[in-house]
Amino acid sequence: MTENQHGGSLFQQAFDEVAADVKPVLDGNESYRRWRILDRLSEPDRVLGFTVRWTNDKGEVEQNRAWRVQYCNALGPYKGGLRFHPSVNEDTLRFLGFEQCFKNALTGLPMGGGKGGSDFNPKGRSEHEIMRFCHAFMDEYHRYGGEDIDVPAGDIGVGGREVGFLFGRWLRLTSRHTATLTGRSLEQFGIKGRTEATGYGTVEFARLMLDTKDETLEGKRVLISGAGNVAQYAAERSIELGAQVLTLSNSEGTAHFPEGLTQSMLETIQDARNQGRRLKDIAGDLDGMKFEASSKPWGTACDVALPCATQNELDGDEAKTLLDNGCTAIAEGANMPSTTEAVHLFREKKVLYGPGKAANAGGVAVSGLEMAQAAQRIPWTREQTIDKLYDIMRTIHDQCAEHGGSGDAIDYVKGANIAGFRRVADSLITGGVG
Ligand code: GLU
């Protein structure tokens, strides 16, 4: 079991938060209680577990555990990414699958919730090893997926390259060129704009929250954690909107940009990372970048924080430091990056706080558009996709505002939980039980 800060399960942490917020909705809705909706959502439809056997570059046989959690398909095919990381286990994927159900519901697109992955660690592996692992993964997984059944995409450790290998194997196994995976490259008829969608969507959510206070991102000091896909594009969009990005980070420490990260510095970092270089090694080559080992970004004074790394990366003490230093808005690019204590503090202090299931829904939303594009067999332009992404982020924001109280303080957590839950619940009721 992956432990959260209290040694409990991640799934339980995510479930308890939703359960507490929807309690008044259940109390006021006999039908939700009679159909036992919350109990039903405490278990996924199914958890598929399999073993991936593959050979490394030395010709040795290796073996990893893998799972696909098909959580709930009331609203559409199971949809959610694949994570390849040594911390992955069934509990991690149950938590992520559960969150995904409500996140996907908020997008308004026909997508159920699911998540999958493996404890395979891609770090230090050659491209050939990653390819063989992806092919071996698909050899097992392909019997459970399909464009109307279950549609994975990327997540931590799974980017465009891995989706490419997975889809390549899918094609050889099935000969069906359909949207059985999203986040595909343009060469595989992916959609323009998917790569940047999660990061751009998170910044858009922050922008919409600030707008309720008649504020903008222009001139705001922004802390970003992570240095992967979400963090990079959150940084790009923040810079575009005139914000001063002060940090990126990884598990080894924090990269500081005291004068602000520029677009050209970001491109240098992206190129270096694509060549497999670590943040700490890049710092030596780049003026205006300092690397602080074994630290997190949250001690730096800022106006806005965008946690874009991983679950429970921001604890109660760090949340307090952020607020003491003047931070007034937090939008989560990662899934459940704030611990229960941190969330409690943000809500208690009534700062602008966009939880992951609302603020990082842009990625899966554009995956939904990629599914539409594949079904239409007509490519969308990047502009069409980004416009639609921003429309969807606004819809999500407004649903949170509708269900999270208005006035001077919108509780975005409550709003997201209630709005997402109601959509899934109403659909489950319509389908009945055998
Ligand atoms: N892994 C992303 C998420 O957490 C994207 C999922 C998808 O595109 O299906 O939402």
Side-chain angles (χ1 to χ4, degrees), residues 40 73-76 421-432:
R40 284 160 63 186
N73 64 352
L75 287 172
F421 178 82
R422 290 185 78 104
R423 278 208 79 210
V424 178
D426 292 343
S427 180
L428 281 171
I429 290 174
T430 309

Side-chain angles (χ1 to χ4, degrees), residues 79-81 100 103 115 151-155 182 194 335 360 363-364 367:
K79 182 81 196 86
Q100 200 82 44
K103 182 193 320 199
K115 201 84 181 193
V151 183
D155 196 80
T182 60
R194 175 64 186 85
N335 291 310
N360 74 35
V364 75
S367 278

Side-chain angles (χ1 to χ4, degrees), residues 4 54 132 148 193 199-200 205 271 277 300 345 366-367 369:
N4 67 11
W54 56 286
R132 282 196 298 277
D148 294 322
Y200 277 29
F205 202 85
D271 288 347
R277 296 185 60 210
T300 309
L345 197 65
V366 172
S367 278
L369 304 181

